[in-house]
């Protein structure tokens, strides 16, 4: 429902302590304008699976999207781009949001 807090959780394989994770949301999945959620998170150790999360309040919009970018090394990934190497990844999820009652 619009205007409730939600948390996005992502499991990421940390290749090194240089692996970083960004979370984004867009209130219109058909024409996304990506907004970063919180600040960039960084892996603390090498070669392990780690769970990251970020919270935000759902904005107005019926069909929304969330994006998680995991980046290895100095990959200069932005919300509007996909990752450019074999160790980084960008995943999007489209969600339906109900109006406030």
């Amino acid at each position: 429902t619009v205007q409730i807090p939600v948390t996005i959780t992502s499991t990421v394989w940390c290749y090194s302590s240089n692996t970083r994770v960004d979370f984004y949301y867009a209130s219109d999945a058909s024409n996304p304008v990506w907004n970063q959620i919180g600040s960039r998170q960084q892996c603390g150790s090498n070669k392990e699976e780690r769970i990251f999360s970020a919270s935000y309040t759902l904005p107005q919009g019926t069909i929304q999207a969330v994006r998680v970018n995991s980046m290895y090394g100095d990959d200069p990934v932005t919300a509007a781009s996909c990752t450019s190497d074999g160790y980084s990844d960008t995943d999007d999820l489209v969600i339906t949001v109900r109006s406030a009652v």
Side-chain angles (χ1 to χ4, degrees):
T1 306
V2 171
Q3 299 301 318
I4 64 166
V6 295
T7 300
I8 305 165
T9 302
S10 178
T11 302
V12 174
W13 178 256
C14 297
Y15 288 97
S16 77
S17 58
N18 261 352
T19 303
R20 301 176 317 275
V21 179
D22 287 338
F23 289 87
Y24 300 90
Y25 74 90
S27 60
D28 181 358
S30 63
N31 188 23
V33 174
W34 296 106
N35 300 283
Q36 188 166 1
I37 305 168
S39 55
R40 180 167 282 171
Q41 301 178 46
Q42 190 162 355
C43 287
S45 58
N46 297 328
K47 296 185 176 138
E48 70 176 12
E49 186 176 276
R50 187 157 169 227
I51 297 172
F52 291 90
S53 61
S55 299
Y56 73 107
T57 301
L58 285 172
Q60 295 290 332
T62 308
I63 308 293
Q64 300 188 24
V66 294
R67 169 173 282 182
V68 179
N69 281 343
S70 64
M71 300 144 285
Y72 175 71
D74 295 324
D75 193 4
V77 175
T78 65
S81 67
C82 288
T83 54
S84 62
D85 66 52
Y87 297 101
S88 300
D89 191 26
T90 300
D91 291 306
D92 295 342
L93 176 68
V94 174
I95 57 175
T96 303
V97 179
R98 290 187 310 176
S99 299
V101 181

